[in-house]
Amino acid sequence: MAPIRVGTLLGFLPEVVAGIIEPEEEVSASVQDVLADPQTSLNAIPFSTRAHWMRQANIALGAPCPFAAFGSVIVNHTVPGLGELVCTGFNSRSSGNPILHGEIAAIQNCSAILTDPLGPYKLTGSKAIDAFSQLSLYTNAESCPMCASAIRWSSFREYIYGTSIETLVKQGWAQIRVSSLEIFRQSLDVQPQTRLLGQVLTNETDPFFFWQFNPDFPCPEGCKRSESGSTCEAVNA
Ligand SMILES: *[C@@H]1O[C@H](CO)[C@@H](O)[C@H](O)[C@H]1NC(C)=O
Ligand SMILES: *[C@@H]1O[C@H](CO)[C@@H](O)[C@H](O)[C@H]1NC(C)=O
Ligand SMILES: *[C@@H]1O[C@H](CO)[C@@H](O)[C@H](O)[C@H]1NC(C)=O
């Protein structure tokens, strides 16, 4: 093996040289793509709490089994314990606004709630902008580049997603193929930074996205295949 031969020639321990000569480029390229394990307690928040809010993102959907089953919740984790829900949002393109993805809907909703003069927060515009840096956005699927950019422009404290873009693409979803990690990587000038935690509770988020382009995949709970088989509808609809 080449490294051993070089090591022997230079009089170094072969293993040491192997460590240096081994494909270091490959190692540093892949480490750039590594995400924190979904079970880790980032910012001292345990997985059970992450799972609780990811489930809330799943049920933030406006209907039992919408085709675009993308839901988000925005939470204040500086409140001890589970944290406090500030607002929710779900994909609302069907309202006629093509950019009203779940995350955008949630950010708009929080913004309205934070600045509502009759609401619980009554913040000014600039205080509302500051407030986002205390908040965490949970979404049941990885944000598209538009939403990931919106998340960075909001300077959320944390961003937590379920099903990955890679999984969505494999399941037949049209996606703009840029990962949130890449958007975050290119957002270094936007402060404060946002901590990213991905693929949290995918065993429970994936089923919301696996039935749309696979007639053999079971509908979400409470729903059944329509006559045509192409959509799922509420059982008692
Ligand atoms: C978040 O919680 C902290 C601690 O209770 C509080 O001071 C802050 O106003 C809250 N922010 C928002 C936007 O809810
Ligand atoms: C905004 O968030 C509130 C609080 O979670 C929720 O009750 C309401 O349905 C949300 N509005 C929209 C339009 O999603
Ligand atoms: C999904 O996995 C998590 C652990 O990663 C577990 O706590 C949870 O119970 C699982 N959900 C279901 C429905 O099995």
Side-chain angles (χ1 to χ4, degrees):
M1 257 177 94
I4 292 170
R5 192 158 47 82
V6 172
T8 311
L9 279 177
L10 297 178
F12 293 139
L13 286 172
E15 310 89 86
V16 171
V17 172
I20 296 167
I21 299 182
E22 285 278 284
E24 205 168 337
E25 255 178 60
E26 236 175 70
V27 170
S28 65
S30 71
V31 84
Q32 295 302 315
D33 293 323
V34 173
L35 296 182
D37 187 286
Q39 309 262 352
T40 48
S41 295
L42 293 194
N43 293 326
I45 296 165
F47 173 75
S48 56
T49 300
R50 302 295 187 193
H52 169 84
W53 292 111
M54 194 54 79
R55 290 182 183 123
Q56 299 302 304
N58 272 341
I59 62 174
L61 304 170
C65 39
F67 194 89
F70 301 97
S72 292
V73 298
I74 295 178
V75 176
N76 185 353
H77 274 306
T78 66
V79 176
L82 268 184
E84 199 168 80
L85 180 73
V86 181
C87 76
T88 62
F90 58 91
N91 185 297
S92 307
R93 288 181 90 235
S94 57
S95 68
N97 182 341
I99 64 169
L100 218 44
H101 288 188
E103 299 90 320
I104 303 289
I107 293 169
Q108 285 194 358
N109 192 12
C110 265
S111 175
I113 288 175
L114 291 172
T115 58
D116 182 351
L118 304 173
Y121 302 99
K122 302 180 177 57
L123 301 182
T124 62
S126 71
K127 290 283 183 207
I129 296 286
D130 292 345
F132 280 97
S133 64
Q134 296 181 321
L135 304 180
S136 302
L137 184 145
Y138 289 78
T139 170
N140 59 358
E142 183 175 0
S143 299
C144 76
M146 171 183 75
C147 293
S149 301
I151 287 165
R152 285 301 290 112
W153 281 124
S154 308
S155 277
F156 279 99
R157 178 173 180 240
E158 303 177 311
Y159 155 57
I160 305 96
Y161 69 80
T163 301
S164 69
I165 288 180
E166 190 177 337
T167 299
L168 292 175
V169 168
K170 283 183 182 157
Q171 292 299 319
W173 288 90
Q175 287 291 308
I176 295 175
R177 298 180 183 204
V178 182
S179 68
S180 292
L181 184 59
E182 182 59 17
I183 298 293
F184 277 39
R185 204 179 264 155
Q186 302 300 341
S187 306
L188 72 168
D189 300 325
V190 181
Q191 298 292 332
Q193 296 275 348
T194 303
R195 197 74 198 264
L196 181 157
L197 189 56
Q199 308 204 44
V200 170
L201 206 71
T202 51
N203 57 331
E204 295 187 25
T205 60
D206 285 352
F208 283 86
F209 307 105
F210 280 33
W211 60 265
Q212 288 85 345
F213 307 103
N214 177 1
D216 296 327
F217 196 87
C219 289
E221 216 180 298
C223 298
K224 62 170 171 41
R225 284 280 159 191
S226 60
E227 291 281 306
S228 71
S230 61
T231 57
C232 289
E233 54 190 24
V235 169
N236 45 10

